[in-house]
Amino acid sequence: MNNATPGTAFAIDVRGLKKRFGKKIAVDGVDIQVPEGEVWGFLGPNGSGKTTTIRMLCGLLRPDAGEGTCIGYDVLREPEKIKREVGYMTQKFSYWEDLSIRENLDFVARVYGLDNRKQRVQDTLKRLGLSERQNQLAGELSGGWKQRMALAACMLHEPRLLLLDEPTAGVDPQARRDFWEEIHLLSREGLTVLVTTHYMDEAERCDKIVYISAGRVVTRGTVREVIEQSGLVTFVIGGPDVRRFIPQLEGAPGVEHVAFFGALLHVSGYDRNLLSAALAPLKNISGLEISETAPSLEDVFIDLQRPRRQAA
Amino acid sequence: MSARNATQGFSPARVIAVLVKEFIQMRRDRFTFSIMVMVPTMQLLLFGFAINSDPRALPTAVHIADEGRYARSILAALRNSDYFDLRATAATPADAERMLNDGDVAFVITIPTDFTRDIVRGASPQLLLEADATDPAAASNAVAAFNMLTENALSDDLVGPLGKRKAPPAFTAVVHRLYNPDGITHYNIVPGLIGVILTMTMVMVTAMAMTRERERGTFENLLAMPVHPFEVMLGKIIPYIVVGYVQVTLVLLGARYIFHVPMLGSLLLLGSAIGVFIAANLALGFTFSTIARNQLQAMQMTVFFLLPSILLSGFMFPFRGMPHWAQAISEILPNTHFQRVVRGILLKGNGFAEIWPNIWPLLLFLGAIGTLAMLRYRRTLD
Ligand SMILES: Nc1ncnc2c1ncn2[C@@H]1O[C@H](COP(=O)(O)OP(=O)(O)O)[C@@H](O)[C@H]1O
Ligand SMILES: [Mg+2]
């Protein structure tokens, strides 16, 4: 199925992408190399430049600097060719709300000049379980169905690369799970996917992740690599009412951040000795269980989002 | 991949894609749709009935200094006309002037001393109409009627040697007021409405069309697809051309069956000229929509363009009565040329040769604005 152009092992291969809006530098030298057929997560806080980067990849914004290719076409010189073979799902739902699901797909099929239009639309509707709702107006759909329709529309023309910008924001867990199953299915068929998300469980479903902050790549790799590269040490504290310790721990030397999730207090820092010292006063309190664990991706991201962090 | 049609250049299929989408959206947008039917109907009724630019039975005083038979014939003719209501007789010229000045009457008609005798002698006496020129447009039809009527009033009387006297005429009718060469009439207004209605709705609807895509965020999607700006423009414009013709048909039916406007020229020629005019307006609306950031701005730009199109195009005020700078501006406006075309074809029975001088400026406008629209249409979100 996957007909890779000889010589390009990368579906996305860009270096030094830069984009500024007035004085604000939205993207500041981003390099991304995504091998064909992989699913990559693109993460970072709001306003870090994810959407802008994706728009540059698919020819919607012209980079101020940088170079590279997307599915073998030059991002600066061949945006029209890229558009033809990339499926882009915008962050905000951008299909026509006053058209039905079917009419939206018909429009897309016509614009891409697809043969057997009716059949293709029919098949895609079926594949994504949209057949019964095909005559509903897109504007009347709930978030999950909208997202499903958008996915249907952007894979209708059998793109080689999918760029999905926060496709699961505001979608319920079951719909998210279904969505990711579809993504993995497509990936097995040879499609390359770059997807932005704020969900840790989704990041963990990716082959690799790229994390950007303030327009720069801060870390990248598999989930395991990202955790290892962080150099973070994390202790968890369990027990009744552990949250009351947050204030005293947050200011302590060696403690980078404290987070409460999974009914446990996660206390992270870079220096094991300093952390132990900070936790020492709690060791005598009965009912508390304190132990060191491997930091979770969430611990790492909370840490990465702290303003003073620099690129590794 | 085999699924994909590899054409790089212009693709009619993509135009059809946009076209189908626009038609569906137009059908669902009841509000816009009803506006497009309501506007011509309202305007037709407003301008046709309510705004009467052809008032009749205007109060008139006569100053009669001759009691001869020709003077009586003239008076009888004036009485028979709808335009003049001979309600006062002025004893002296000063009396007449006072009545006009006080606004008691709109006209004073003076039949000079020895009017009848001078006609018999062939001395061509003067028949004077003094008009209250404060509302020249309102009076212009009465003035025109005066000229017509005085010419014909004596035709029954002037038989024999006097009737054969072709030149000089038996008498001259003199009108004292600013002459209004275009004389606005009912007949003028209703065909002219076609130009105004099309300018209003066509520019507005297309100006909104692209802006709406941008406001709703669907523009980003459109940009991400392999569709050429020109294809988008065509696809968005064609449905509204159809709408434009529906409006024109409405107005023409009204003109014909309610206002009995004469239709001397070829309707096919008119239809073709209207096509050019509609396209010019749509291209302008499309250009506006590439500039406006939201629908409000698009609306404001439309109104900004609409005002001179109504006021300076010759629709409301006679073109030749305007100062040169205003004439220069109006020569750029499509509606100015269209007013001449539509009146020329309907009222004067003009053919292609006569309207061509006003068609090529429309084509030029279309070409220039269409190019500008294409240049302005950004293919990226920058
Ligand atoms: N069209 C634009 N004009 C001006 N500033 C923009 C524009 N698009 C994005 N930005 C700014 O660039 C930065 C990056 O935005 P974005 O790429 O949308 O971030 P993310 O998708 O990661 O949330 C933000 O500060 C945003 O305000
Ligand atoms: Mg974003």
Side-chain angles (χ1 to χ4, degrees):
Chain A
M1 180 74 197
N2 183 22
N3 48 356
T5 317
T8 39
F10 293 119
I12 300 175
D13 183 7
V14 291
R15 285 165 304 279
L17 284 189
K18 259 189 197 177
K19 185 72 193 176
R20 61 165 73 228
F21 296 108
K23 280 195 176 141
K24 160 127 199 121
I25 299 177
V27 174
D28 192 7
V30 164
D31 305 346
I32 300 179
Q33 281 82 32
V34 182
E36 291 199 336
E38 292 195 359
V39 178
W40 277 40
F42 194 21
L43 294 95
N46 287 328
S48 54
K50 303 183 294 295
T51 300
T52 308
T53 305
I54 287 186
R55 284 174 173 166
M56 286 193 281
L57 290 176
C58 62
L60 288 185
L61 284 175
R62 209 183 144 72
D64 295 327
E67 52 167 17
T69 59
C70 203
I71 45 170
Y73 300 117
D74 192 298
V75 289
L76 290 169
R77 277 178 288 277
E78 299 173 301
E80 296 310 310
K81 286 185 179 154
I82 293 174
K83 284 178 189 180
R84 226 169 274 273
E85 300 191 35
V86 165
Y88 169 44
M89 186 166 157
T90 53
Q91 180 171 351
K92 182 179 169 289
F93 182 75
S94 64
Y95 287 88
W96 289 268
E97 303 210 332
D98 46 355
L99 297 187
S100 70
I101 293 182
R102 200 203 164 83
E103 287 160 350
N104 268 297
L105 294 196
D106 269 336
F107 173 68
V108 173
R110 281 202 178 94
V111 164
Y112 283 94
L114 304 183
D115 54 9
N116 300 325
R117 177 169 53 85
K118 288 218 166 85
Q119 192 59 46
R120 269 170 201 286
V121 170
Q122 206 69 51
D123 292 348
T124 308
L125 285 170
K126 202 163 156 196
R127 174 168 184 167
L128 288 169
L130 291 163
S131 298
E132 271 148 48
R133 291 169 185 266
Q134 56 176 295
N135 293 321
Q136 233 175 310
L137 292 188
E140 292 169 357
L141 300 172
S142 67
W145 287 105
K146 271 187 177 161
Q147 164 245 49
R148 206 176 266 231
M149 192 217 99
L151 182 64
C154 73
M155 54 178 262
L156 188 62
H157 63 291
E158 296 178 7
R160 289 161 59 192
L161 169 68
L162 275 184
L163 300 170
L164 310 173
D165 197 356
E166 294 193 31
T168 56
V171 169
D172 70 58
Q174 182 57 45
R176 289 210 285 134
R177 206 167 6 252
D178 294 347
F179 187 81
W180 274 93
E181 254 165 46
E182 189 60 38
I183 297 292
H184 282 141
L185 204 66
L186 288 167
S187 155
R188 279 203 292 283
E189 289 171 11
L191 209 71
T192 312
V193 182
L194 180 69
V195 51
T196 75
T197 177
H198 289 297
Y199 294 107
M200 293 309 126
D201 60 313
E202 292 185 0
E204 281 165 357
R205 289 168 185 265
C206 297
D207 293 316
K208 290 213 171 128
I209 54 179
V210 174
Y211 187 97
I212 69 170
S213 176
R216 288 166 181 270
V217 175
V218 178
T219 183
R220 72 175 88 221
T222 61
V223 169
R224 180 188 283 272
E225 283 164 0
V226 166
I227 292 173
E228 277 168 8
Q229 282 160 22
S230 74
L232 215 58
V233 180
T234 300
F235 284 86
V236 289
I237 309 170
D241 197 16
V242 284
R243 268 182 297 183
R244 71 194 138 114
F245 301 113
I246 294 177
Q248 76 183 72
L249 286 172
E250 266 182 340
V255 176
E256 292 297 327
H257 69 262
V258 184
F260 180 75
F261 51 87
L264 295 169
L265 212 52
H266 290 233
V267 185
S268 306
Y270 294 106
D271 188 322
R272 185 169 283 106
N273 297 332
L274 278 177
L275 265 185
S276 295
L279 292 170
L282 305 184
K283 291 215 164 97
N284 309 327
I285 301 172
S286 66
L288 287 191
E289 276 178 45
I290 303 178
S291 59
E292 184 180 343
T293 55
S296 68
L297 198 54
E298 186 136 6
D299 291 311
V300 175
F301 285 152
I302 292 170
D303 189 55
L304 287 172
Q305 287 184 21
R306 291 161 63 81
R308 37 134 217 96
R309 273 290 294 190
Q310 294 302 312
Chain B
M1 299 213 164
S2 58
R4 213 164 291 107
N5 184 339
T7 46
Q8 288 279 333
F10 176 77
S11 148
R14 288 197 292 262
V15 176
I16 290 172
V18 181
L19 198 77
V20 170
K21 164 182 161 299
E22 291 297 317
F23 265 120
I24 298 174
Q25 290 182 299
M26 193 158 79
R27 206 182 64 216
R28 303 238 161 95
D29 188 1
R30 292 272 155 75
F31 181 74
T32 306
F33 198 75
S34 52
I35 287 270
M36 288 186 297
V37 178
M38 286 301 289
V39 164
T41 314
M42 285 288 292
Q43 297 239 8
L44 191 62
L45 297 179
L46 264 175
F47 281 97
F49 286 126
I51 303 176
N52 188 356
S53 62
D54 186 22
R56 312 250 166 158
L58 298 166
T60 306
V62 281
H63 172 62
I64 307 163
D66 179 63
E67 295 293 336
R69 52 186 279 236
Y70 292 142
R72 286 197 303 277
S73 297
I74 292 280
L75 280 177
L78 286 171
R79 270 193 197 96
N80 284 336
S81 132
D82 297 344
Y83 286 101
F84 302 102
D85 173 13
L86 305 186
R87 59 170 61 168
T89 310
T92 63
D95 240 7
E97 194 170 324
R98 186 191 47 75
M99 283 189 235
L100 199 59
N101 205 15
D102 294 353
D104 295 341
V105 296
F107 301 102
V108 171
I109 294 168
T110 303
I111 302 176
T113 336
D114 299 333
F115 182 69
T116 306
R117 200 192 67 197
D118 285 349
I119 287 181
V120 175
R121 279 187 186 165
S124 196
Q126 290 190 335
L127 189 62
L128 180 65
L129 174 79
E130 290 164 288
D132 177 353
T134 48
D135 186 1
S140 65
N141 287 334
V143 169
F146 176 74
N147 286 327
M148 283 287 288
L149 156 164
T150 48
E151 227 169 80
N152 299 328
L154 303 185
S155 53
D156 289 344
D157 293 319
L158 297 175
V159 287
L162 282 177
K164 295 212 177 68
R165 200 181 283 157
K166 281 269 183 262
F171 64 92
T172 44
V174 179
V175 174
H176 280 186
R177 49 149 279 176
L178 274 177
Y179 188 48
N180 175 352
D182 280 40
I184 295 170
T185 75
H186 210 77
Y187 290 171
N188 243 337
I189 283 279
V190 173
L193 266 183
I194 296 175
V196 171
I197 290 167
L198 287 178
T199 304
M200 187 182 292
T201 49
M202 296 293 102
V203 174
M204 183 175 74
V205 162
T206 33
M208 303 288 243
M210 279 315 285
T211 329
R212 194 180 307 138
E213 301 271 0
R214 198 165 300 133
E215 245 178 60
R216 293 186 184 169
T218 50
F219 186 63
E220 180 169 7
N221 212 335
L222 213 50
L223 270 186
M225 292 180 194
V227 55
H228 191 274
F230 185 64
E231 295 158 352
V232 176
M233 182 167 96
L234 272 189
K236 280 192 168 285
I237 278 180
I238 291 171
Y240 294 109
I241 293 186
V242 175
V243 171
Y245 275 109
V246 171
Q247 295 183 323
V248 169
T249 310
L250 272 177
V251 177
L252 283 180
L253 285 175
R256 174 105 204 191
Y257 294 106
I258 302 178
F259 300 105
H260 308 292
V261 172
M263 298 188 180
L264 303 178
S266 149
L267 284 185
L268 191 69
L269 182 64
L270 180 64
S272 320
I274 286 173
V276 177
F277 179 63
I278 289 177
N281 280 312
L282 292 176
L284 183 73
F286 196 85
T287 309
F288 282 174
S289 75
T290 62
I291 299 168
R293 293 192 180 274
N294 52 48
Q295 296 194 54
L296 180 66
Q297 282 185 4
M299 198 70 181
Q300 288 167 332
M301 290 168 88
T302 306
V303 171
F304 183 77
F305 176 75
L306 188 62
L307 282 178
S309 292
I310 291 178
L311 298 176
L312 302 183
S313 62
F315 169 71
M316 290 279 272
F317 307 114
F319 182 80
R320 272 167 246 149
M322 291 189 297
H324 286 299
W325 61 264
Q327 287 191 8
I329 293 174
S330 66
E331 287 288 357
I332 303 169
L333 302 170
N335 197 23
T336 304
H337 299 281
F338 183 70
Q339 291 295 324
R340 297 174 192 158
V341 169
V342 69
R343 288 170 176 172
I345 293 176
L346 285 184
L347 306 179
K348 299 186 202 156
N350 280 173
F352 181 75
E354 287 109 325
I355 64 165
W356 173 246
N358 284 306
I359 292 293
W360 70 256
L362 289 177
L363 290 170
L364 189 68
F365 184 91
L366 174 61
I369 295 296
T371 310
L372 182 66
M374 289 301 91
L375 293 177
R376 288 275 329 172
Y377 184 101
R378 281 154 294 178
R379 303 195 77 172
T380 63
L381 289 167
D382 286 271

